[in-house]
Amino acid sequence: MKNNPADFWNDRFNSEEFVYGTQPNVFFKEALDKLKAGTLLLPAEGEGRNAVYAATNNWNVSAFDISKSGKEKALFLFKQNNVSIAYDVVGVLDYTSNEKFDAIGLCYTHFPIDIRKQANQHLLKFLKKGGVVIFEAFSKSQLKNNSGGPKNEAMLFSLEVIRQEFKGLEFKILEEKTIELSEGKFHKGKADVIRFLGIKK
């Protein structure tokens, strides 16, 4: 990965192709479908696939990413689907909002390891008490697979890391699973992931 994560993601998203597809993450969709629509924050939202799904299902969505290219792709997808979504280009630690959200969706948000715990705790400040976090990301055992994700083991997750970095949540689901990914060309094939559904205490 380039030294500057924004440069890496601008390069990755700088194509007409939606490199992670246009359909929502499966676990995110299944979890969201069980919740009453309200306000949703999507950090590191990239090309906008999860935001579009939520917005077309009556959620009031706010999203952000460090990539300008990601935002441009997302705005195109929003227009195609006739939805309006607030999307900021900002780093996670610089993100701020006067709003407290009903839910936060974290799909493959592998923040740089030097800020990750701080970033995750920062985001929880924007979640209402009783609000829900929907999370899916690669586990440490993903290194043996070629289906996507960081190649630095420190950036990957374990169940214990989740418990440490998301203090303040009650976990309704917390599991490590092997799944078959089909999310564009960079998330494709057998993958080892950590999933959780957490409620803010």
Side-chain angles (χ1 to χ4, degrees):
M1 183 179 283
K2 295 188 175 190
N3 290 334
N4 183 343
D7 290 343
F8 173 88
W9 290 109
N10 281 325
D11 282 352
R12 173 152 292 189
F13 293 140
N14 190 23
S15 67
E16 287 189 21
E17 177 186 7
F18 281 77
V19 295
Y20 294 104
T22 57
Q23 297 303 306
N25 172 267
V26 171
F27 181 69
F28 171 79
K29 176 186 180 297
E30 290 174 351
L32 201 74
D33 285 350
K34 295 174 183 175
L35 300 177
K36 180 183 175 183
T39 54
L40 172 68
L41 176 63
L42 291 173
E45 174 54 10
E47 299 167 303
R49 61 196 176 102
N50 293 316
V52 164
Y53 180 78
T56 55
N57 284 275
N58 301 316
W59 285 82
N60 184 355
V61 183
S62 296
F64 72 87
D65 200 282
I66 56 172
S67 168
K68 290 180 181 178
S69 296
K71 179 179 180 178
E72 288 169 7
K73 298 277 281 297
L75 292 179
F76 177 77
L77 195 62
F78 299 165
K79 187 174 181 180
Q80 276 192 324
N81 288 273
N82 197 30
V83 294
S84 179
I85 294 164
Y87 192 121
D88 293 320
V89 177
V90 64
V92 60
L93 294 179
D94 294 321
Y95 176 78
T96 188
S97 174
N98 293 322
E99 186 154 17
K100 295 279 190 179
F101 294 90
D102 295 305
I104 296 176
L106 295 170
C107 291
Y108 299 98
T109 48
H110 291 271
F111 296 121
I113 188 61
D114 57 327
I115 66 162
R116 189 177 70 192
K117 184 175 182 180
Q118 183 185 359
N120 290 329
Q121 286 297 311
H122 176 68
L123 291 173
L124 292 181
K125 292 189 296 189
F126 304 108
L127 186 65
K128 291 178 183 175
K129 186 175 181 181
V132 178
V133 178
I134 304 167
F135 178 100
E136 182 174 284
F138 292 112
S139 73
K140 291 186 180 294
S141 54
Q142 172 66 6
L143 282 178
K144 70 180 185 292
N145 300 321
N146 293 311
S147 52
K151 299 307 177 189
N152 176 358
E153 186 182 2
M155 291 182 69
L156 303 172
F157 290 93
S158 67
L159 297 177
E160 185 54 37
V161 165
I162 294 295
R163 293 187 187 100
Q164 290 172 358
E165 296 193 3
F166 289 90
K167 289 186 185 303
L169 295 182
E170 177 186 352
F171 296 104
K172 297 299 184 183
I173 298 171
L174 176 55
E175 61 187 8
E176 183 168 2
K177 291 192 74 171
T178 300
I179 64 171
E180 193 71 23
L181 272 178
S182 182
E183 300 183 333
K185 69 178 182 181
F186 286 114
H187 278 180
K188 203 166 202 62
K190 179 182 171 185
D192 292 304
V193 302
I194 302 272
R195 291 171 165 175
F196 78 71
L197 195 67
I199 312 296
K200 187 172 182 179
K201 297 176 185 175

